[in-house]
Amino acid sequence: MDAYKKAGVDINAGYKLVNEIKSLSKNTELGAFGGMFPLALGDYREPVLVSGTDGVGTKLLIAIQAGLNETVGIDLVAMCVNDILAQGAKPLFFLDYLGVGHLDPDQAKHIVAGVVKGVSEAGAKLIGGETAEMPDMYTNGHYDLAGFAVGIADQSQLLKKTDLSEGDVLLGLASNGLHSNGFSLVRDILFKQHDYKLTDQLPGLDRDLKHELLRPTRIYVKSVLPLVEQGFIASIAHITGGGLPENVARILPENLAAEFNTNTWPMPAIMTELQKLGQLSFDDMKHTFNLGLGMVLAVHPENVAQVKEALVKSGETVYQVGRLVSGFKEVLIRKD
């Protein structure tokens, strides 16, 4: 092991991290060759497993530079479980992958603490993962994250395009700022086009850039899943890379279009400032950022009042942002 340590890999640090993760997650089975999850099918008649995988992207570079690594663990979980929720499924378990140059136990502990927090927010369980120490792959304290989640739904509960109708109402759930998309453009505008520091505070913001940019992605499972299970939601779009145009288009059948009115919800201040600083067109904005909506729900008109009330009680900020109209899978975003 001394020879391996001289080559840049500290096995003992890895063992110690596994034990710390066991403590954080309260899962003593971590560290086995495979993660185990007892699958109690209960009332599921035609159970379908739904899986998702994702990463955090170049937001990680902000976390590394700021020395604030916990919230990206929440982002990692959110990107996966929100996708599973968008299918109409309940997240069951999660696994993470952490690739590092040299294992910094304190940094890794903060990352995994965020993962554990995110998994808890999603009502799921962390059952395993991998930490790979690769000194010739990552340098300067850099690391990469990937996450993998599995959920379950009844076949009949899965959200389908055929359940959508003209006149269905689009409800937008407020995002927590940028979430985890568009950070290559964000970094270009703030730190290359302009010489901002992470300790700077932009006009209209209530915190410095490092805390603003590292706001964690919202996890919508606990507020939205009960409404899915009760049959009140017709479809869901998780607004990630590609913004409203690409993600809402994914849920539309061939004969419908989605019509949004941007006057019905506020765009976060960070996005307004980025648009000014980068001289971005609205087309750039809508294809890069979530514009303030982390998730869009399609709801039949008769269920709108009940759904809005339930979401507000669950702590969500909800906007009635548009409707489905006759069309050909277009996403129309009006500004009047």
Side-chain angles (χ1 to χ4, degrees):
M1 287 196 296
D2 286 342
Y4 207 6
K5 189 171 183 178
K6 287 178 182 178
V9 179
D10 189 344
I11 293 178
N12 287 325
Y15 294 154
K16 182 180 178 182
L17 178 61
V18 171
N19 289 328
E20 289 180 340
I21 296 172
K22 286 181 183 180
S23 176
L24 284 169
S25 65
K26 298 181 173 57
N27 182 359
T28 58
E29 295 175 354
L30 289 175
F33 287 107
M36 293 175 284
F37 185 87
L39 192 58
L41 294 178
D43 295 329
Y44 291 102
R45 298 182 201 177
E46 298 178 272
V48 177
L49 294 179
V50 179
S51 61
T53 182
D54 214 328
V56 183
T58 60
K59 185 175 184 176
L60 294 179
L61 295 175
I62 305 292
I64 292 165
Q65 187 178 348
L68 300 173
N69 299 286
E70 186 165 326
T71 59
V72 291
I74 301 173
D75 287 312
L76 183 67
V77 177
M79 296 297 284
C80 297
V81 299
N82 284 341
D83 278 353
I84 286 174
L85 173 64
Q87 296 289 117
K90 173 185 178 182
L92 293 176
F93 58 83
F94 187 85
L95 300 96
D96 67 306
Y97 170 86
L98 170 62
V100 300
H102 294 283
L103 185 60
D104 178 335
D106 188 60
Q107 181 192 63
K109 184 177 179 180
H110 280 94
I111 294 167
V112 176
V115 171
V116 170
K117 185 175 181 180
V119 168
S120 176
E121 287 184 25
K125 185 176 181 181
L126 179 64
I127 66 166
E130 167 71 0
T131 301
E133 192 171 11
M134 299 176 285
D136 295 327
M137 185 73 74
Y138 302 101
T139 58
N140 302 321
H142 287 188
Y143 61 84
D144 198 12
L145 287 175
F148 313 87
V150 172
I152 190 169
D154 238 324
Q155 179 73 47
S156 61
Q157 181 186 303
L158 292 172
L159 301 178
K160 298 177 281 292
K161 296 179 181 181
T162 53
D163 292 335
L164 296 173
S165 305
E166 185 175 353
D168 283 347
V169 173
L170 298 175
L171 298 179
L173 304 187
S175 68
N176 188 24
L178 293 163
H179 282 186
S180 299
N181 301 103
F183 273 84
S184 292
L185 179 57
V186 170
R187 291 169 42 250
D188 182 72
I189 292 171
L190 294 177
F191 310 125
K192 295 179 183 177
Q193 296 182 29
H194 300 272
D195 192 27
Y196 283 106
K197 303 294 186 291
L198 286 175
T199 51
D200 292 336
Q201 186 169 330
L202 296 183
L205 302 185
D206 61 0
R207 57 188 70 191
D208 62 21
L209 280 172
K210 66 182 175 184
H211 290 97
E212 178 63 39
L213 300 180
L214 291 173
R215 287 177 182 265
T217 305
R218 283 191 59 77
I219 294 174
Y220 299 101
V221 175
K222 289 185 178 178
S223 55
V224 175
L225 183 62
L227 295 168
V228 172
E229 294 174 337
Q230 294 170 64
F232 291 134
I233 308 294
S235 195
I236 298 174
H238 179 205
I239 312 306
T240 55
L244 290 170
E246 290 187 25
N247 290 290
V248 174
R250 293 163 70 178
I251 71 172
L252 296 174
E254 297 295 332
N255 65 322
L256 291 177
E259 186 177 75
F260 289 83
N261 184 342
T262 60
N263 289 331
T264 57
W265 81 91
M267 189 163 71
I270 181 62
M271 296 181 195
T272 302
E273 291 304 313
L274 286 167
Q275 185 174 18
K276 292 177 186 174
L277 291 168
Q279 298 183 328
L280 302 177
S281 68
F282 183 68
D283 195 59
D284 287 326
M285 295 295 293
K286 72 182 183 182
H287 284 284
T288 306
F289 303 118
N290 61 52
L291 300 184
L293 304 179
M295 187 162 276
V296 173
L297 315 178
V299 180
H300 298 324
E302 65 271 19
N303 295 327
V304 169
Q306 189 169 354
V307 168
K308 288 172 71 174
E309 182 181 5
L311 290 169
V312 170
K313 283 184 178 178
S314 296
E316 300 293 346
T317 300
V318 189
Y319 305 101
Q320 190 163 322
V321 295
R323 61 194 180 105
L324 297 185
V325 298
S326 178
F328 303 97
K329 295 194 72 168
E330 307 102 327
V331 177
L332 311 168
I333 305 177
R334 296 189 291 107
K335 298 184 69 176
D336 50 41

